[in-house]
Amino acid sequence: MPDCHFEAILPSWLKEFFAEHSEALLSDSERMKFAIELARQNVINGTGGPFGAAVFERSSGNLVAVGVNLVVQSNCSHAHAEMLALAIAEHRLSSYTLNQPGFPGYELVSSSEPCAMCFGAIIWSGVTRLVCGASTIDAKHAGFDEGAKPEKWIAELENRGIEVATGICRNKACAVLQLYLDNGGVVYNGRAR
């Protein structure tokens, strides 16, 4: 097999956006508006799908990492906003888990509830809290295949010590899904032919 290297290249606008938003965000609403704006900027700039995510220190509100959906642009089905935000946070902290002794505790804020893949990644990541905007139903209504996850997925996460808050700024998150559709964004899913 030839040498293989995978690299997800974040959009150029993201570096400046990250720098401009370095202040601590203390409320669920502030953090969610940030994640939704990531998704909106991704759509407006034509750099990816209508999903954004960020990892924050829970107590301080300090931003650790961001991610936007890059599935189509990177030719990689797992380049979801949540997956990238978690991977970047782990890389920045030099840890395969965000739940190491001495760490302040981290949360993932996502513009949409997790798909089946991101649900699994959340469990493995070590975050202790998940905050979501649009619902799985909203994403499915837009045409995205979210895959099979447990019917009581919130209870499953909570049983594993991960707190969950859903529906935060849901209408704003849904507006980004609609913006993507209105702009002719590619709605991808593994079952489409």
Side-chain angles (χ1 to χ4, degrees), residues 112-167:
S112 183
E113 291 177 354
C115 68
M117 175 179 62
C118 294
F119 170 79
I122 289 163
I123 291 170
W124 284 99
S125 72
V127 295
T128 57
R129 189 162 190 257
L130 170 66
V131 181
C132 307
S135 71
T136 299
I137 292 169
D138 299 329
K140 285 181 179 180
H141 181 73
F144 292 96
D145 180 0
E146 299 298 277
K149 62 185 178 194
E151 183 179 331
K152 297 181 180 182
W153 67 273
I154 293 173
E156 181 65 33
L157 291 178
E158 290 176 341
N159 286 340
R160 293 171 177 270
I162 302 168
E163 296 174 31
V164 179
T166 61

Side-chain angles (χ1 to χ4, degrees), residues 41-75:
Q41 289 297 321
N42 208 33
V43 172
I44 289 171
N45 286 288
T47 52
F51 304 98
V55 174
F56 292 92
E57 289 182 0
R58 284 188 64 176
S59 59
S60 71
N62 289 329
L63 179 61
V64 177
V66 298
V68 292
N69 182 284
L70 300 176
V71 168
V72 173
Q73 287 70 5
S74 66
N75 293 314

Side-chain angles (χ1 to χ4, degrees), residues 10-11 24 27 43 61 72 83 86-87 92 103 125 137 146 151 161 169-170 177:
L10 295 174
S27 71
V43 172
V72 173
M83 301 291 282
L86 291 168
R92 286 191 73 203
F103 278 9
S125 72
I137 292 169
E146 299 298 277
E151 183 179 331
C169 304
R170 181 179 177 190
L177 294 172

Side-chain angles (χ1 to χ4, degrees), residues 5-12 14 66-71 73-76 78-81 83-85 87-88:
H5 178 78
F6 174 77
E7 183 175 59
I9 309 235
L10 295 174
S12 59
L14 199 51
V66 298
V68 292
N69 182 284
L70 300 176
V71 168
Q73 287 70 5
S74 66
N75 293 314
C76 180
H78 71 264
H80 289 201
M83 301 291 282
L84 294 176
I88 291 167

